[in-house]
Amino acid sequence: MTSNASLLFVNAAQVVTCAGPPRARRGTEMGDAAVRTGCSVLVRGDTIVAVGPEAELRGSHPAAQEIDCGGGVLTPGFVDSHTHALFGRPRFDEQELRASGMDYMEIARRGGGIHASVRDLRQRDEESLVDLAVARLRRLASYGVTTVEVKSGYGLTLDDELKSLRAIARLARELPLRIVPTFLGAHEIPLEHRDTAGGREEYIGRLVGEMIPRVSELQLARFADVFCETGVYTVPESRRILESARTHGLLLKLHADELTSAGGAELAGELGAVSADHLAAISEKGIAALATAPTVATLLPGTMLFLGKPSRAPARSLIAAGVPVALATDFNPGTSPTPNFTLILTLGVSQLGMSVAETMIAGTVNGAAALALADRVGQLAPGFSADLALFDVSDVRELPYWYGDRRCLGTWVRGKSCHPRHLRVS
Ligand SMILES: [Zn+2]
């Protein structure tokens, strides 16, 4: 197939186009995923060129190679806009500690949690990290994800953060997925800086004086992120780090109000961050701050499920206030080791009270907006990147319904088959 060959996706029971304005959707806009029947999608090279009645497109493009959707549901590929997919050893040992009553912060204080992943990653070379991540990203792709954000943040030294970001850059070159790199040097205060006088201040000084400028100079990240949370980075510290990142040309994200209402959402609104993520403990003031900001609220219900926490992000209040909501896996070794994007849609419906259409917009258009990609990713519409996913269901409402099941039959990224032909999951 030459790069300008045409593909025509035919015989889909439904085409969920999510078509509309090329920006984050708010309020009632989120309730319409633009589901079409009798509809085909025409792709030329890496771009969607037409979406319309099947008979019409077949007639006008007789030379196009047809892809038979077999009565399945065709959607934009999912955008997983929050992952920590680059890590070494999985941390399954902590699950039982939590079950026995030890909480996440207590495990962290004992050197577990993020610190365990930091110790592990520092001992590994780039090659080993790439090998582990390739297998894990293939699993994510096998559930219909075509764009994935991957954060650093288990290195917490200049060299180990650069090693992580170089590994992410290699993954972006070697895998057919679209990968967006985020610098999360402010994931934690590293242990060696935590318990020494002035150590904390020294590490933040390194972040703003050395690490952010170097990451920016090497063009290894598009976003910078900070874990703004009680016991991790305070609001003033987060502001200082993110203002430095912005000065160096990075776009901004925040881990905000995950466990406590610490003012993270308010800071995201104040800085006009591209996204504020988690928000299970967001306050009314935080919701109001996001409602007047360009910020996408990225909700990660898989994390609360896995941690066994009853708190839930107030999706309905956020949507009612006009805040655009995205859903993501938070795929990471400690608190959300699931690659199953459609399970997150299930949680969006059953735990957060969203409609199926709202979860579809949250997993496509608004996920793309959370990565500043909404002008080219997240819709099946002319001019958009040909990123598609095909599912073995006949109605889009079955995607969150068959919960935990993997119904994805295949994905295409930039017009090229991504999974399963090139991304087989063993
Ligand atoms: Zn996270």
Side-chain angles (χ1 to χ4, degrees):
M1 188 174 93
T2 68
S3 63
N4 276 329
S6 296
L7 293 178
L8 187 62
F9 291 81
V10 298
N11 195 21
Q14 294 177 336
V15 177
V16 184
T17 68
C18 298
R23 55 162 174 75
R25 308 283 170 78
R26 298 168 181 269
T28 54
E29 289 177 337
M30 285 191 66
D32 183 8
V35 180
R36 307 274 181 260
T37 54
C39 180
S40 281
V41 177
L42 181 69
V43 167
R44 188 168 300 131
D46 58 6
T47 305
I48 295 166
V49 292
V51 178
E54 187 156 312
E56 204 175 282
L57 288 179
R58 269 185 155 149
S60 56
H61 296 85
Q65 182 194 336
E66 291 198 355
I67 306 231
D68 183 355
C69 296
V73 169
L74 191 64
T75 75
F78 290 123
V79 179
D80 194 352
S81 63
H82 184 135
T83 86
H84 306 257
L86 193 86
F87 59 90
R89 188 178 67 77
R91 304 206 314 259
F92 42 80
D93 45 323
E94 292 172 14
Q95 194 176 13
E96 285 178 321
L97 292 179
R98 273 193 302 275
S100 71
M102 200 181 288
D103 80 0
Y104 174 68
M105 285 309 203
E106 177 59 24
I107 291 170
R109 270 191 292 275
R110 293 176 178 223
I114 290 169
H115 300 298
S117 290
V118 170
R119 274 195 305 279
D120 178 78
L121 182 137
R122 287 177 177 176
Q123 291 165 12
R124 291 177 189 271
D125 61 14
E126 189 183 310
E127 192 74 33
S128 137
L129 290 169
V130 168
D131 287 348
L132 288 167
V134 162
R136 290 162 181 164
L137 290 170
R138 281 179 175 162
R139 290 190 180 279
L140 268 175
S142 76
Y143 286 92
V145 169
T146 53
T147 295
V148 57
E149 184 253 22
V150 183
K151 303 175 196 291
S152 69
Y154 294 122
L156 308 187
T157 65
L158 176 63
D159 286 350
D160 291 304
E161 286 294 306
L162 291 181
K163 174 176 75 183
S164 303
L165 289 168
R166 284 196 188 100
I168 296 168
R170 255 182 71 186
L171 293 163
R173 284 195 300 273
E174 292 176 11
L175 287 171
L177 284 162
R178 185 189 311 277
I179 291 178
V180 178
T182 294
F183 172 61
L184 181 56
H187 199 183
E188 247 296 4
I189 302 285
L191 282 180
E192 63 272 21
H193 289 271
R194 205 177 167 97
D195 301 322
T196 57
R200 183 183 184 89
E201 181 57 32
E202 190 193 337
Y203 183 67
I204 295 169
R206 277 189 201 175
L207 277 170
V208 302
E210 185 181 17
M211 295 165 84
I212 288 170
R214 192 85 178 113
V215 166
S216 163
E217 180 193 330
L218 294 170
Q219 300 189 327
L220 283 170
R222 182 153 165 73
F223 286 89
D225 192 348
V226 174
F227 199 156
C228 180
E229 182 70 45
T230 305
V232 194
Y233 287 89
T234 66
V235 167
E237 288 168 347
S238 303
R239 183 186 289 111
R240 181 176 166 209
I241 295 162
L242 290 171
E243 282 179 342
S244 162
R246 183 158 61 191
T247 304
H248 285 89
L250 295 167
L251 298 173
L252 309 185
K253 287 183 170 291
L254 262 96
H255 282 65
D257 302 336
E258 175 181 355
L259 304 169
T260 56
S261 185
E266 291 89 325
L267 178 63
E270 173 197 323
L271 294 173
V274 177
S275 74
D277 300 30
H278 279 296
L279 306 176
I282 190 174
S283 67
E284 288 299 324
K285 261 179 74 185
I287 294 174
L290 293 184
T292 54
T295 310
V296 175
T298 301
L299 310 185
L300 310 165
T303 310
M304 291 297 134
L305 175 83
F306 190 72
L307 290 177
K309 292 206 174 281
S311 55
R312 296 167 183 170
R316 289 260 57 91
S317 303
L318 287 161
I319 293 170
V323 180
V325 168
L327 289 167
T329 61
D330 192 20
F331 179 64
N332 80 76
T335 62
S336 188
T338 183
N340 187 337
F341 200 90
T342 44
L343 176 62
I344 304 303
L345 303 186
T346 302
L347 298 177
V349 176
S350 71
Q351 306 294 298
L352 306 183
M354 297 168 73
S355 70
V356 173
E358 285 170 341
T359 66
M360 289 303 295
I361 295 294
T364 57
V365 179
N366 284 2
L371 297 177
L373 291 172
D375 59 341
R376 69 203 100 132
V377 168
Q379 304 187 31
L380 301 184
F384 277 73
S385 181
D387 299 358
L388 305 95
L390 177 63
F391 294 91
D392 182 20
V393 293
S394 55
D395 187 300
V396 65
R397 289 170 292 183
E398 292 180 80
L399 285 182
Y401 173 76
W402 298 112
Y403 84 104
D405 199 359
R406 189 171 69 196
R407 293 301 185 108
C408 184
L409 296 170
T411 64
W412 291 259
V413 180
R414 302 181 181 99
K416 292 207 172 71
S417 175
C418 174
H419 163 79
R421 210 190 302 165
H422 299 303
L423 285 180
R424 214 169 294 115
V425 173
S426 55

